[in-house]
Amino acid sequence: MAQDLLYDEKNLENSKESSISSKLESANTEDDVAFERKTMRYVDWRILPVLALVYSFALIDRINMGAAQTAGMGVDLKLLVHNRFSIVNCLYFVPYTILQLPGNLVLRYFGVRNWLTFIVLAWGAVQLGMGFVHSWGYLVLCRVLLGIFEASFFPSLLFIISTWYTRHEVHVRLSIFYLLSVTAGGLSPILAYVFSLLKGRGGLAGWRYIFIIEGAITMFLAIITWLFIPAFPDQNTFLTEKQTAVVLRRIDEDRGDAIPDPITFQKVRKHLSDWTLWAYGTMFLCAAMPSYAQSYFLPSILKGMGWSQTKALLLSAPPYGPSIISTMIVAYYSDKQKHRCGYIVLGTMVCLTGLCLTAFAKHNGVRYFGTYLINAGNSAAIPTILAYASNNVVSHSKRSVQSAMTVSLGGIGGIMATTVFRTQDAPHYYPGLGASIGSQALLLTLLAATTLRFLYLNKATREGKRKEPLEGQPGFYYTL
């Protein structure tokens, strides 16, 4: 009897100890989860607004040519002769396309803060200088220099963002970054209109103030870049050691590449031989083409519909509004469902519908409505393509090559947009809109090819038919 009582007491003590241990473990787990969430919220606020702010002016500085053209630059610099306006816009994208990969590869060598501050300051100075050119030849030179200095900025930001987040939370972050910057970019025509009202001050034309003021703002943002631009997780200085450990652990558990691998020529050559990287870039090219076309030529298209210069500039901004809703809804559900392909198809189809309306509708109101659909679909598809590409690579070296290649080929989309939308085709721009429609069909074809390949490889890996793990990372599966 006494033994039984002693046995029961021991069991009761063990039960109490087990219960206490379980509660402590549960409390620790809850504390860890809360700390992780707090850390990632801080990372969000520390990274995304700064990057979006600076990139928004990179975008504004890149696309303000259409507004300046409408505000009188075309007449003053004789850009309406032949295809001069298209040539000026096109030549920007030549160095912009060529120099993106080299710029991304030297990012760690020079340091994120040093490299990005330098290029922001440099292109801001060039942008300001564009306000003082007196011939279209010097404008071409400035645009080429602008392309040189802006080349590695966007792929560097994509590279940095993708290293901080897990695969299935990066889409929302890329969308927030993209939306903040593109929404600010959508205000470019309004800003341009306001700045152009300074016409006559200091004996300068209104369009010159567009470049001068926006260039000065960009140079000021170089200071913001120097003070606040984030580095890679393993190099950051704004988190504590414990917070940094949490970020690195999350990345390692997700895809095993928190710590960067060395970038060598052999690795770069190997990554460039992967056709899926070229497919991502070409898909981004197809998505970027209508986006660039609208940025450069929408004021001219609206003016051709019969609106005045002022109304054409002001009406160029509202079509960017619906893209905020469409982009965030797609990003939320895409990350939640860990799925990309279907949402790219959805965005592309909406964009395609808008292109057809703008190109072929008879009523100007319907054509204008088409521009809303172009933006809503296009803005939803672009971050999804970027997330799709980012999710399906492993290692810093491959991510560096992938982000640079994707944006680089997107620059070719800008070249195509500025060449197929010709001055003599105004105000309908049928050849340019037709080419944009064709680009969406190519996008869907490439998406089908990559998705089918990933389906096959994921299935073969699950069934044990592959000897090597996908992307060299055990437990990794492609995101569809």
Side-chain angles (χ1 to χ4, degrees), residues 54-67 85 88-90 92-93 96 100 123 127 130 143 146-147 149-155 157 177-178 181-182 185 188 211 214 218 284 288 291-292 295-296 407 410-411 414-415 418:
V54 183
Y55 180 64
S56 67
F57 270 86
L59 197 59
I60 288 171
D61 292 345
R62 186 186 315 163
I63 67 175
N64 56 15
M65 291 290 288
F85 182 64
V88 170
N89 286 318
C90 175
Y92 161 88
F93 288 101
Y96 180 80
Q100 288 192 7
W123 97 60
Q127 178 76 2
M130 287 170 61
R143 289 289 292 180
L146 198 68
F149 293 124
E150 278 196 13
S152 64
F153 190 68
F154 187 38
L157 300 192
F177 160 71
Y178 180 77
S181 54
V182 170
S188 179
F211 296 132
E214 291 178 359
T218 302
F284 187 66
S291 177
Y292 279 122
S295 299
Y296 285 119
V407 183
I415 294 175
T418 55

Tab-separated table of all heavy atoms in Angstrom, residues 54-67 85 88-90 92-93 96 100 123 127 130 143 146-147 149-155 157 177-178 181-182 185 188 211 214 218 284 288 291-292 295-296 407 410-411 414-415 418:
chain	number	residue	atom	x	y	z
A	54	VAL	N	13.649	55.398	-53.422
A	54	VAL	CA	14.742	55.705	-54.348
A	54	VAL	C	14.431	55.159	-55.740
A	54	VAL	O	14.647	55.842	-56.749
A	54	VAL	CB	16.084	55.133	-53.830
A	54	VAL	CG1	17.221	55.520	-54.768
A	54	VAL	CG2	16.376	55.658	-52.426
A	55	TYR	N	13.883	53.936	-55.798
A	55	TYR	CA	13.582	53.381	-57.112
A	55	TYR	C	12.466	54.140	-57.822
A	55	TYR	O	12.437	54.215	-59.051
A	55	TYR	CB	13.210	51.902	-57.011
A	55	TYR	CG	12.904	51.309	-58.371
A	55	TYR	CD1	13.900	51.228	-59.347
A	55	TYR	CD2	11.628	50.874	-58.706
A	55	TYR	CE1	13.633	50.724	-60.604
A	55	TYR	CE2	11.349	50.361	-59.962
A	55	TYR	CZ	12.359	50.292	-60.905
A	55	TYR	OH	12.092	49.805	-62.154
A	56	SER	N	11.539	54.722	-57.053
A	56	SER	CA	10.462	55.490	-57.691
A	56	SER	C	11.031	56.640	-58.505
A	56	SER	O	10.535	56.950	-59.597
A	56	SER	CB	9.484	56.016	-56.636
A	56	SER	OG	10.097	56.977	-55.802
A	57	PHE	N	12.100	57.259	-58.010
A	57	PHE	CA	12.698	58.355	-58.782
A	57	PHE	C	13.585	57.834	-59.906
A	57	PHE	O	13.771	58.516	-60.917
A	57	PHE	CB	13.441	59.325	-57.856
A	57	PHE	CG	12.541	60.414	-57.361
A	57	PHE	CD1	11.766	60.224	-56.235
A	57	PHE	CD2	12.411	61.614	-58.059
A	57	PHE	CE1	10.890	61.203	-55.790
A	57	PHE	CE2	11.550	62.594	-57.630
A	57	PHE	CZ	10.778	62.398	-56.490
A	58	ALA	N	14.104	56.623	-59.752
A	58	ALA	CA	14.779	56.005	-60.897
A	58	ALA	C	13.772	55.810	-62.021
A	58	ALA	O	14.060	56.064	-63.201
A	58	ALA	CB	15.395	54.665	-60.495
A	59	LEU	N	12.571	55.385	-61.637
A	59	LEU	CA	11.516	55.165	-62.624
A	59	LEU	C	11.044	56.483	-63.222
A	59	LEU	O	10.868	56.609	-64.439
A	59	LEU	CB	10.349	54.435	-61.949
A	59	LEU	CG	9.314	53.747	-62.838
A	59	LEU	CD1	9.979	52.704	-63.725
A	59	LEU	CD2	8.247	53.098	-61.970
A	60	ILE	N	10.841	57.480	-62.367
A	60	ILE	CA	10.412	58.799	-62.847
A	60	ILE	C	11.443	59.385	-63.794
A	60	ILE	O	11.112	59.918	-64.858
A	60	ILE	CB	10.164	59.747	-61.648
A	60	ILE	CG1	8.881	59.337	-60.910
A	60	ILE	CG2	10.063	61.197	-62.110
A	60	ILE	CD1	8.664	60.066	-59.609
A	61	ASP	N	12.723	59.290	-63.422
A	61	ASP	CA	13.793	59.832	-64.267
A	61	ASP	C	13.883	59.102	-65.595
A	61	ASP	O	14.325	59.661	-66.602
A	61	ASP	CB	15.140	59.728	-63.543
A	61	ASP	CG	15.211	60.656	-62.327
A	61	ASP	OD1	14.364	61.559	-62.230
A	61	ASP	OD2	16.105	60.458	-61.487
A	62	ARG	N	13.439	57.834	-65.605
A	62	ARG	CA	13.518	57.041	-66.822
A	62	ARG	C	12.350	57.331	-67.765
A	62	ARG	O	12.517	57.324	-68.982
A	62	ARG	CB	13.508	55.555	-66.448
A	62	ARG	CG	13.740	54.602	-67.602
A	62	ARG	CD	13.566	53.166	-67.148
A	62	ARG	NE	14.233	52.915	-65.882
A	62	ARG	CZ	13.988	51.870	-65.106
A	62	ARG	NH1	13.069	50.992	-65.447
A	62	ARG	NH2	14.637	51.708	-63.966
A	63	ILE	N	11.156	57.594	-67.198
A	63	ILE	CA	9.955	57.667	-68.035
A	63	ILE	C	9.411	59.076	-68.234
A	63	ILE	O	8.355	59.236	-68.842
A	63	ILE	CB	8.829	56.780	-67.443
A	63	ILE	CG1	8.340	57.360	-66.109
A	63	ILE	CG2	9.292	55.344	-67.296
A	63	ILE	CD1	7.159	56.612	-65.521
A	64	ASN	N	10.134	60.086	-67.745
A	64	ASN	CA	9.591	61.449	-67.851
A	64	ASN	C	9.731	62.051	-69.243
A	64	ASN	O	9.324	63.190	-69.478
A	64	ASN	CB	10.228	62.374	-66.814
A	64	ASN	CG	11.741	62.416	-66.912
A	64	ASN	OD1	12.327	61.988	-67.911
A	64	ASN	ND2	12.377	62.922	-65.873
A	65	MET	N	10.290	61.311	-70.174
A	65	MET	CA	10.470	61.833	-71.530
A	65	MET	C	9.132	62.116	-72.215
A	65	MET	O	8.984	63.105	-72.945
A	65	MET	CB	11.266	60.831	-72.363
A	65	MET	CG	12.714	60.684	-71.941
A	65	MET	SD	13.688	62.144	-72.326
A	65	MET	CE	13.791	61.980	-74.108
A	66	GLY	N	8.142	61.250	-71.979
A	66	GLY	CA	6.838	61.461	-72.603
A	66	GLY	C	6.202	62.750	-72.137
A	66	GLY	O	5.633	63.515	-72.937
A	67	ALA	N	6.293	63.023	-70.824
A	67	ALA	CA	5.723	64.252	-70.280
A	67	ALA	C	6.480	65.479	-70.789
A	67	ALA	O	5.874	66.501	-71.132
A	67	ALA	CB	5.762	64.202	-68.753
A	85	PHE	N	12.568	61.042	-81.466
A	85	PHE	CA	12.087	60.805	-80.097
A	85	PHE	C	12.240	59.327	-79.722
A	85	PHE	O	12.677	59.000	-78.615
A	85	PHE	CB	10.630	61.238	-79.966
A	85	PHE	CG	10.074	61.081	-78.575
A	85	PHE	CD1	10.576	61.816	-77.518
A	85	PHE	CD2	9.041	60.179	-78.328
A	85	PHE	CE1	10.070	61.668	-76.232
A	85	PHE	CE2	8.528	60.013	-77.053
A	85	PHE	CZ	9.039	60.767	-76.001
A	88	VAL	N	15.998	58.559	-79.155
A	88	VAL	CA	16.481	59.052	-77.854
A	88	VAL	C	16.076	58.090	-76.745
A	88	VAL	O	16.887	57.756	-75.863
A	88	VAL	CB	15.924	60.466	-77.572
A	88	VAL	CG1	16.212	60.868	-76.127
A	88	VAL	CG2	16.533	61.485	-78.523
A	89	ASN	N	14.836	57.632	-76.779
A	89	ASN	CA	14.361	56.711	-75.748
A	89	ASN	C	15.011	55.339	-75.874
A	89	ASN	O	15.366	54.704	-74.882
A	89	ASN	CB	12.840	56.564	-75.839
A	89	ASN	CG	12.114	57.782	-75.308
A	89	ASN	OD1	12.487	58.338	-74.289
A	89	ASN	ND2	11.071	58.209	-76.007
A	90	CYS	N	15.191	54.887	-77.097
A	90	CYS	CA	15.726	53.548	-77.349
A	90	CYS	C	17.171	53.412	-76.869
A	90	CYS	O	17.534	52.413	-76.239
A	90	CYS	CB	15.618	53.234	-78.835
A	90	CYS	SG	16.367	51.666	-79.309
A	92	TYR	N	18.781	54.738	-74.552
A	92	TYR	CA	18.922	54.595	-73.101
A	92	TYR	C	19.049	53.123	-72.714
A	92	TYR	O	19.825	52.755	-71.822
A	92	TYR	CB	17.704	55.222	-72.409
A	92	TYR	CG	17.482	54.755	-70.989
A	92	TYR	CD1	18.095	55.403	-69.922
A	92	TYR	CD2	16.683	53.643	-70.703
A	92	TYR	CE1	17.897	54.969	-68.615
A	92	TYR	CE2	16.487	53.206	-69.411
A	92	TYR	CZ	17.092	53.875	-68.368
A	92	TYR	OH	16.905	53.434	-67.078
A	93	PHE	N	18.270	52.263	-73.375
A	93	PHE	CA	18.171	50.869	-72.975
A	93	PHE	C	19.359	50.023	-73.426
A	93	PHE	O	19.510	48.892	-72.957
A	93	PHE	CB	16.880	50.262	-73.522
A	93	PHE	CG	15.653	50.762	-72.810
A	93	PHE	CD1	14.861	51.744	-73.385
A	93	PHE	CD2	15.313	50.272	-71.564
A	93	PHE	CE1	13.732	52.211	-72.727
A	93	PHE	CE2	14.194	50.737	-70.903
A	93	PHE	CZ	13.394	51.709	-71.489
A	96	TYR	N	21.774	50.167	-70.520
A	96	TYR	CA	20.942	49.696	-69.407
A	96	TYR	C	20.824	48.177	-69.436
A	96	TYR	O	20.849	47.512	-68.391
A	96	TYR	CB	19.557	50.344	-69.502
A	96	TYR	CG	18.593	49.944	-68.411
A	96	TYR	CD1	18.665	50.528	-67.146
A	96	TYR	CD2	17.602	48.993	-68.635
A	96	TYR	CE1	17.774	50.169	-66.147
A	96	TYR	CE2	16.710	48.629	-67.643
A	96	TYR	CZ	16.800	49.224	-66.400
A	96	TYR	OH	15.915	48.854	-65.413
A	100	GLN	N	23.751	45.436	-66.689
A	100	GLN	CA	23.071	45.004	-65.468
A	100	GLN	C	23.759	43.818	-64.799
A	100	GLN	O	23.949	43.809	-63.581
A	100	GLN	CB	21.610	44.671	-65.792
A	100	GLN	CG	20.811	45.924	-66.072
A	100	GLN	CD	19.324	45.682	-66.113
A	100	GLN	OE1	18.841	44.591	-65.812
A	100	GLN	NE2	18.585	46.701	-66.494
A	123	TRP	N	23.419	59.323	-61.697
A	123	TRP	CA	22.314	59.510	-62.644
A	123	TRP	C	21.486	60.750	-62.286
A	123	TRP	O	20.891	61.370	-63.166
A	123	TRP	CB	21.479	58.252	-62.790
A	123	TRP	CG	20.226	58.131	-61.981
A	123	TRP	CD1	19.136	58.952	-61.994
A	123	TRP	CD2	19.918	57.084	-61.054
A	123	TRP	NE1	18.174	58.496	-61.130
A	123	TRP	CE2	18.624	57.343	-60.537
A	123	TRP	CE3	20.584	55.945	-60.622
A	123	TRP	CZ2	18.006	56.516	-59.595
A	123	TRP	CZ3	19.962	55.132	-59.706
A	123	TRP	CH2	18.696	55.419	-59.194
A	127	GLN	N	20.534	63.557	-64.948
A	127	GLN	CA	19.145	63.982	-65.121
A	127	GLN	C	19.027	65.505	-65.019
A	127	GLN	O	18.343	66.138	-65.823
A	127	GLN	CB	18.279	63.317	-64.046
A	127	GLN	CG	16.810	63.700	-64.075
A	127	GLN	CD	16.048	63.011	-65.184
A	127	GLN	OE1	16.606	62.205	-65.919
A	127	GLN	NE2	14.781	63.334	-65.331
A	130	MET	N	20.195	67.222	-68.127
A	130	MET	CA	19.308	67.154	-69.286
A	130	MET	C	18.456	68.412	-69.423
A	130	MET	O	17.963	68.722	-70.508
A	130	MET	CB	18.409	65.910	-69.191
A	130	MET	CG	19.136	64.612	-69.465
A	130	MET	SD	18.153	63.135	-69.065
A	130	MET	CE	16.772	63.333	-70.173
A	143	ARG	N	20.935	60.547	-72.200
A	143	ARG	CA	20.128	59.340	-72.005
A	143	ARG	C	21.000	58.078	-71.958
A	143	ARG	O	20.723	57.142	-71.196
A	143	ARG	CB	19.092	59.208	-73.130
A	143	ARG	CG	17.965	60.215	-73.059
A	143	ARG	CD	17.017	59.960	-71.926
A	143	ARG	NE	16.238	58.740	-72.109
A	143	ARG	CZ	15.336	58.298	-71.236
A	143	ARG	NH1	15.123	58.962	-70.114
A	143	ARG	NH2	14.657	57.195	-71.466
A	146	LEU	N	22.532	58.057	-68.587
A	146	LEU	CA	21.491	57.683	-67.621
A	146	LEU	C	21.332	56.160	-67.596
A	146	LEU	O	21.214	55.552	-66.528
A	146	LEU	CB	20.169	58.356	-67.998
A	146	LEU	CG	19.096	58.441	-66.915
A	146	LEU	CD1	19.524	59.390	-65.800
A	146	LEU	CD2	17.774	58.928	-67.515
A	147	GLY	N	21.342	55.546	-68.783
A	147	GLY	CA	21.238	54.091	-68.871
A	147	GLY	C	22.415	53.383	-68.225
A	147	GLY	O	22.253	52.340	-67.583
A	149	PHE	N	24.318	54.481	-65.684
A	149	PHE	CA	24.310	54.580	-64.225
A	149	PHE	C	23.101	53.900	-63.578
A	149	PHE	O	23.196	53.407	-62.456
A	149	PHE	CB	24.373	56.049	-63.800
A	149	PHE	CG	25.672	56.716	-64.149
A	149	PHE	CD1	25.705	57.869	-64.917
A	149	PHE	CD2	26.875	56.184	-63.723
A	149	PHE	CE1	26.899	58.484	-65.247
A	149	PHE	CE2	28.084	56.782	-64.045
A	149	PHE	CZ	28.103	57.936	-64.811
A	150	GLU	N	21.976	53.843	-64.276
A	150	GLU	CA	20.794	53.199	-63.706
A	150	GLU	C	20.818	51.678	-63.879
A	150	GLU	O	20.030	50.971	-63.237
A	150	GLU	CB	19.511	53.741	-64.352
A	150	GLU	CG	19.037	55.058	-63.771
A	150	GLU	CD	17.590	55.352	-64.154
A	150	GLU	OE1	16.905	54.452	-64.648
A	150	GLU	OE2	17.155	56.499	-63.950
A	151	ALA	N	21.711	51.181	-64.725
A	151	ALA	CA	21.652	49.778	-65.159
A	151	ALA	C	21.549	48.778	-64.013
A	151	ALA	O	20.675	47.914	-64.012
A	151	ALA	CB	22.869	49.458	-66.029
A	152	SER	N	22.430	48.873	-63.034
A	152	SER	CA	22.481	47.820	-62.013
A	152	SER	C	21.600	48.112	-60.808
A	152	SER	O	21.551	47.305	-59.871
A	152	SER	CB	23.927	47.613	-61.541
A	152	SER	OG	24.416	48.768	-60.901
A	153	PHE	N	20.869	49.232	-60.816
A	153	PHE	CA	20.123	49.616	-59.610
A	153	PHE	C	18.948	48.683	-59.341
A	153	PHE	O	18.839	48.101	-58.253
A	153	PHE	CB	19.644	51.062	-59.721
A	153	PHE	CG	19.089	51.606	-58.437
A	153	PHE	CD1	19.925	51.822	-57.347
A	153	PHE	CD2	17.745	51.891	-58.294
A	153	PHE	CE1	19.431	52.308	-56.143
A	153	PHE	CE2	17.238	52.382	-57.104
A	153	PHE	CZ	18.083	52.594	-56.031
A	154	PHE	N	18.061	48.508	-60.306
A	154	PHE	CA	16.876	47.685	-60.088
A	154	PHE	C	17.227	46.222	-59.816
A	154	PHE	O	16.706	45.631	-58.847
A	154	PHE	CB	15.926	47.816	-61.278
A	154	PHE	CG	14.599	47.135	-61.094
A	154	PHE	CD1	13.959	47.142	-59.869
A	154	PHE	CD2	13.985	46.475	-62.153
A	154	PHE	CE1	12.727	46.513	-59.687
A	154	PHE	CE2	12.756	45.846	-61.995
A	154	PHE	CZ	12.129	45.867	-60.756
A	155	PRO	N	18.101	45.577	-60.618
A	155	PRO	CA	18.438	44.178	-60.285
A	155	PRO	C	19.116	44.046	-58.930
A	155	PRO	O	18.941	43.026	-58.247
A	155	PRO	CB	19.370	43.753	-61.425
A	155	PRO	CG	19.818	44.992	-62.083
A	155	PRO	CD	18.725	45.995	-61.880
A	157	LEU	N	18.381	45.837	-56.276
A	157	LEU	CA	17.315	45.882	-55.278
A	157	LEU	C	16.558	44.557	-55.220
A	157	LEU	O	16.223	44.071	-54.134
A	157	LEU	CB	16.340	47.022	-55.601
A	157	LEU	CG	16.927	48.439	-55.646
A	157	LEU	CD1	15.808	49.478	-55.678
A	157	LEU	CD2	17.844	48.709	-54.457
A	177	PHE	N	7.011	46.732	-52.730
A	177	PHE	CA	8.106	47.537	-53.285
A	177	PHE	C	7.750	48.062	-54.667
A	177	PHE	O	7.906	49.257	-54.958
A	177	PHE	CB	9.372	46.678	-53.352
A	177	PHE	CG	10.420	47.176	-54.303
A	177	PHE	CD1	11.150	48.316	-54.017
A	177	PHE	CD2	10.669	46.508	-55.500
A	177	PHE	CE1	12.112	48.788	-54.907
A	177	PHE	CE2	11.616	46.969	-56.390
A	177	PHE	CZ	12.346	48.107	-56.091
A	178	TYR	N	7.238	47.189	-55.515
A	178	TYR	CA	6.898	47.571	-56.886
A	178	TYR	C	5.772	48.598	-56.904
A	178	TYR	O	5.826	49.589	-57.635
A	178	TYR	CB	6.500	46.314	-57.666
A	178	TYR	CG	6.126	46.573	-59.108
A	178	TYR	CD1	7.102	46.809	-60.068
A	178	TYR	CD2	4.791	46.591	-59.509
A	178	TYR	CE1	6.761	47.048	-61.390
A	178	TYR	CE2	4.443	46.828	-60.827
A	178	TYR	CZ	5.435	47.052	-61.757
A	178	TYR	OH	5.092	47.297	-63.061
A	181	SER	N	6.811	52.112	-55.675
A	181	SER	CA	7.630	52.808	-56.661
A	181	SER	C	6.830	53.156	-57.914
A	181	SER	O	6.928	54.265	-58.447
A	181	SER	CB	8.855	51.973	-57.030
A	181	SER	OG	8.475	50.679	-57.447
A	182	VAL	N	6.002	52.208	-58.403
A	182	VAL	CA	5.243	52.457	-59.629
A	182	VAL	C	4.141	53.481	-59.400
A	182	VAL	O	3.840	54.296	-60.280
A	182	VAL	CB	4.657	51.139	-60.179
A	182	VAL	CG1	3.674	51.405	-61.306
A	182	VAL	CG2	5.783	50.248	-60.683
A	185	GLY	N	5.798	56.545	-59.565
A	185	GLY	CA	6.094	56.764	-60.976
A	185	GLY	C	4.865	57.201	-61.751
A	185	GLY	O	4.944	57.992	-62.693
A	188	SER	N	4.289	60.760	-62.081
A	188	SER	CA	5.260	61.495	-62.900
A	188	SER	C	4.613	62.526	-63.812
A	188	SER	O	5.090	63.672	-63.886
A	188	SER	CB	6.106	60.507	-63.717
A	188	SER	OG	7.022	61.182	-64.537
A	211	PHE	N	13.309	68.144	-65.788
A	211	PHE	CA	14.586	67.444	-65.601
A	211	PHE	C	15.400	68.034	-64.458
A	211	PHE	O	16.000	67.297	-63.668
A	211	PHE	CB	15.404	67.494	-66.892
A	211	PHE	CG	14.774	66.789	-68.052
A	211	PHE	CD1	14.677	67.400	-69.293
A	211	PHE	CD2	14.270	65.507	-67.918
A	211	PHE	CE1	14.093	66.748	-70.368
A	211	PHE	CE2	13.687	64.842	-68.985
A	211	PHE	CZ	13.595	65.474	-70.217
A	214	GLU	N	13.650	67.214	-60.903
A	214	GLU	CA	13.683	65.777	-60.611
A	214	GLU	C	15.116	65.278	-60.448
A	214	GLU	O	15.382	64.386	-59.633
A	214	GLU	CB	12.935	65.006	-61.701
A	214	GLU	CG	11.431	65.264	-61.664
A	214	GLU	CD	10.663	64.561	-62.763
A	214	GLU	OE1	11.294	63.872	-63.596
A	214	GLU	OE2	9.424	64.702	-62.789
A	218	THR	N	16.717	63.568	-57.027
A	218	THR	CA	17.452	62.302	-57.081
A	218	THR	C	18.818	62.428	-56.402
A	218	THR	O	19.242	61.520	-55.669
A	218	THR	CB	17.640	61.847	-58.539
A	218	THR	OG1	16.361	61.702	-59.160
A	218	THR	CG2	18.377	60.518	-58.608
A	284	PHE	N	9.691	38.498	-68.480
A	284	PHE	CA	9.704	39.854	-67.928
A	284	PHE	C	9.764	40.888	-69.054
A	284	PHE	O	9.146	41.956	-68.969
A	284	PHE	CB	10.904	40.014	-66.986
A	284	PHE	CG	10.907	41.324	-66.241
A	284	PHE	CD1	9.927	41.604	-65.305
A	284	PHE	CD2	11.898	42.272	-66.464
A	284	PHE	CE1	9.927	42.801	-64.615
A	284	PHE	CE2	11.903	43.471	-65.784
A	284	PHE	CZ	10.918	43.738	-64.844
A	288	ALA	N	7.148	43.772	-69.495
A	288	ALA	CA	7.632	45.146	-69.402
A	288	ALA	C	7.286	45.978	-70.626
A	288	ALA	O	7.154	47.201	-70.536
A	288	ALA	CB	9.147	45.140	-69.202
A	291	SER	N	4.175	48.017	-70.364
A	291	SER	CA	4.378	48.956	-69.260
A	291	SER	C	5.204	50.151	-69.711
A	291	SER	O	4.854	51.314	-69.451
A	291	SER	CB	5.076	48.237	-68.097
A	291	SER	OG	5.339	49.126	-67.042
A	292	TYR	N	6.325	49.884	-70.396
A	292	TYR	CA	7.152	50.975	-70.916
A	292	TYR	C	6.403	51.782	-71.970
A	292	TYR	O	6.492	53.010	-72.007
A	292	TYR	CB	8.441	50.415	-71.516
A	292	TYR	CG	9.514	50.103	-70.510
A	292	TYR	CD1	10.046	48.820	-70.395
A	292	TYR	CD2	10.009	51.099	-69.675
A	292	TYR	CE1	11.036	48.534	-69.469
A	292	TYR	CE2	10.996	50.824	-68.744
A	292	TYR	CZ	11.510	49.531	-68.648
A	292	TYR	OH	12.483	49.261	-67.729
A	295	SER	N	4.103	54.116	-70.301
A	295	SER	CA	4.836	55.182	-69.604
A	295	SER	C	5.311	56.265	-70.564
A	295	SER	O	5.233	57.457	-70.270
A	295	SER	CB	6.039	54.586	-68.865
A	295	SER	OG	5.624	53.655	-67.896
A	296	TYR	N	5.837	55.848	-71.721
A	296	TYR	CA	6.405	56.809	-72.672
A	296	TYR	C	5.361	57.457	-73.578
A	296	TYR	O	5.473	58.637	-73.919
A	296	TYR	CB	7.453	56.120	-73.558
A	296	TYR	CG	8.762	55.855	-72.867
A	296	TYR	CD1	9.243	54.561	-72.723
A	296	TYR	CD2	9.523	56.891	-72.346
A	296	TYR	CE1	10.449	54.300	-72.090
A	296	TYR	CE2	10.723	56.649	-71.698
A	296	TYR	CZ	11.181	55.349	-71.577
A	296	TYR	OH	12.370	55.105	-70.936
A	407	VAL	N	16.002	41.430	-65.336
A	407	VAL	CA	15.784	42.863	-65.551
A	407	VAL	C	16.476	43.326	-66.834
A	407	VAL	O	15.984	44.214	-67.535
A	407	VAL	CB	16.281	43.675	-64.337
A	407	VAL	CG1	15.999	45.152	-64.526
A	407	VAL	CG2	15.593	43.178	-63.068
A	410	GLY	N	14.334	42.572	-69.567
A	410	GLY	CA	13.230	43.513	-69.471
A	410	GLY	C	13.571	44.834	-70.133
A	410	GLY	O	12.705	45.505	-70.706
A	411	GLY	N	14.860	45.212	-70.065
A	411	GLY	CA	15.307	46.425	-70.747
A	411	GLY	C	15.137	46.333	-72.254
A	411	GLY	O	14.866	47.342	-72.921
A	414	GLY	N	11.938	47.502	-73.162
A	414	GLY	CA	11.908	48.955	-73.318
A	414	GLY	C	12.393	49.384	-74.695
A	414	GLY	O	11.832	50.304	-75.303
A	415	ILE	N	13.443	48.712	-75.184
A	415	ILE	CA	13.945	49.014	-76.533
A	415	ILE	C	12.858	48.738	-77.565
A	415	ILE	O	12.601	49.557	-78.466
A	415	ILE	CB	15.201	48.180	-76.853
A	415	ILE	CG1	16.369	48.597	-75.936
A	415	ILE	CG2	15.595	48.325	-78.317
A	415	ILE	CD1	17.606	47.751	-76.104
A	418	THR	N	10.033	51.355	-77.478
A	418	THR	CA	10.366	52.667	-78.038
A	418	THR	C	10.592	52.626	-79.540
A	418	THR	O	10.589	53.671	-80.194
A	418	THR	CB	11.636	53.239	-77.366
A	418	THR	OG1	12.703	52.288	-77.483
A	418	THR	CG2	11.387	53.530	-75.900
